[in-house]
Amino acid sequence: MTMEAGYRTGRTEGMKPLMRLYGGEYGLVLTGLLGFLLAAVCAVWILLFGETVAPGGNLSKAFSFNAAMGIFLLSTAAILPYSAMGERGRAIFRWSYIVLAMYSYFAENVQNFRGVNPRFVENGTPFDEMVGNLFATAAMLLIVFYVYLAVYYFRRRAYELRPALVTGIRYAMLAILLSFVSGIWISVNDGRMVGTSGNIIVLHGLGFHALQAVPLVAWLAERASLPAASRMRSIHITGLAYLLGLLAVGWQTYLGHGVFEASGLPVVIFSLFLISILPGVQLLFRIPWGSRAQLKKVSRHGG
């Protein structure tokens, strides 16, 4: 029985918890966990020797990259079974992402430990230039293959599999596309800073965190003791508020200002992200946590 069939019928008895969570995507899971291991290595090095490696390496950036890639891959592995993608399509995406992520780990860590900025090489050797060019190519391919994945969530087959959850994933996919655009912006801008205090990396990071935030609310909505319309409304409020918050962050950054400045737009930004959190808080109090049978029933028919 396939994972999709198991979720449609609700017959997941006998499946291991990890299989239910990641749908057998152990390659992506292990590649994500490698990111946390590499982040730990960087953290220990920073504690012992500091974050700077002359002339241009910075291990704090390698640490944040490794951790962010790990979270991203684990989150992607968790939602991949709900794409309704065929086995061949999943294999193409899975192995493409594993190979590209492994090269990205290599470029980010080896080059920073060698004292070279892997993204913006200055006075580097031919090897450094080659690694940097391939790193940029890998980044673009990561975008291409994720767009390939995102398309599947906007098809009817995926929606019919888990309507509420896939609705949340759709919002997350749109947010991730904004993150990818901001990553291209960083490259074109030759750095993350804009104007006096605008930092593109804030938009970049917040967009990727939608992959945890919005599907989590959708997952809670599936289990809440609420009418289907109310549950879907909670997901839409979260998703729309999060996307509007990202657009506001992008505009504030484009103007060259930070999101923590004492002005009107940062107030709007924080208000939008607060609104995106509130439905999840409400749903927590509408879930029958004490009844496993009720939870299974709601999960099967949710959305």
Side-chain angles (χ1 to χ4, degrees):
M1 182 173 63
T2 65
M3 281 296 298
E4 289 82 359
Y7 279 113
R8 279 195 294 267
T9 62
R11 294 194 302 268
T12 58
E13 299 84 11
M15 290 185 178
K16 296 179 180 180
L18 193 60
M19 177 65 80
R20 289 200 299 268
L21 180 59
Y22 290 109
E25 294 297 335
Y26 297 121
L28 284 173
V29 170
L30 291 174
T31 309
L33 292 176
L34 176 61
F36 292 110
L37 176 61
L38 293 171
V41 172
C42 291
V44 172
W45 185 279
I46 291 170
L47 289 174
L48 294 176
F49 306 108
E51 65 182 30
T52 302
V53 179
N58 190 325
L59 292 182
S60 66
K61 293 182 179 179
F63 168 84
S64 60
F65 175 87
N66 293 328
M69 180 65 83
I71 294 170
F72 181 60
L73 291 176
L74 289 175
S75 301
T76 300
I79 67 168
L80 188 54
Y82 308 107
S83 65
M85 188 184 291
E87 286 301 318
R88 182 180 178 185
R90 281 177 66 171
I92 291 172
F93 175 83
R94 177 191 309 123
W95 289 108
S96 298
Y97 245 69
I98 289 172
V99 170
L100 293 169
M102 292 297 287
Y103 179 79
S104 299
Y105 285 144
F106 162 79
E108 185 71 35
N109 292 279
V110 170
Q111 291 300 81
N112 273 299
F113 271 103
R114 293 181 65 244
V116 178
N117 185 331
R119 293 173 182 79
F120 306 105
V121 179
E122 295 181 3
N123 303 318
T125 66
F127 173 80
D128 298 327
E129 296 289 347
M130 180 190 69
V131 171
N133 290 334
L134 289 175
F135 197 15
T137 302
M140 292 304 299
L141 288 174
L142 286 169
I143 296 174
V144 170
F145 280 106
Y146 219 83
V147 171
Y148 166 75
L149 171 64
V151 168
Y152 279 86
Y153 292 104
F154 290 88
R155 295 180 174 180
R156 180 179 295 274
R157 184 181 174 191
Y159 182 81
E160 291 174 346
L161 186 64
R162 294 280 286 273
L165 185 60
V166 170
T167 298
I169 293 173
R170 287 176 175 180
Y171 281 110
M173 290 295 109
L174 294 175
I176 288 172
L177 292 180
L178 290 177
S179 279
F180 285 142
V181 170
S182 68
I184 297 172
W185 184 7
I186 291 174
S187 297
V188 173
N189 191 59
D190 286 331
R192 62 181 65 183
M193 300 307 297
V194 178
T196 57
S197 55
N199 192 341
I200 307 172
I201 205 69
V202 176
L203 173 62
H204 192 61
L206 284 173
F208 283 121
H209 282 304
L211 191 54
Q212 297 89 46
V214 187
L216 174 60
V217 172
W219 182 84
L220 292 172
E222 283 187 330
R223 288 151 176 77
S225 297
L226 290 170
S230 298
R231 284 182 269 146
M232 294 298 287
R233 188 181 306 115
S234 296
I235 299 169
H236 288 305
I237 291 172
T238 295
L240 287 172
Y242 204 103
L243 286 176
L244 290 174
L246 290 177
L247 292 173
V249 169
W251 183 249
Q252 178 78 345
T253 304
Y254 175 77
L255 295 176
H257 303 300
V259 297
F260 295 102
E261 291 186 2
S263 58
L265 192 52
V267 173
V268 173
I269 291 170
F270 284 103
S271 297
L272 286 168
F273 283 113
L274 177 61
I275 291 171
S276 73
I277 293 172
L278 291 178
V281 175
Q282 179 193 25
L283 290 169
L284 282 172
F285 293 98
R286 302 304 299 268
I287 295 176
W289 296 106
S291 173
R292 292 186 63 185
Q294 179 65 18
L295 277 174
K296 287 183 179 180
K297 180 180 177 181
V298 173
S299 179
R300 288 177 196 171
H301 303 289

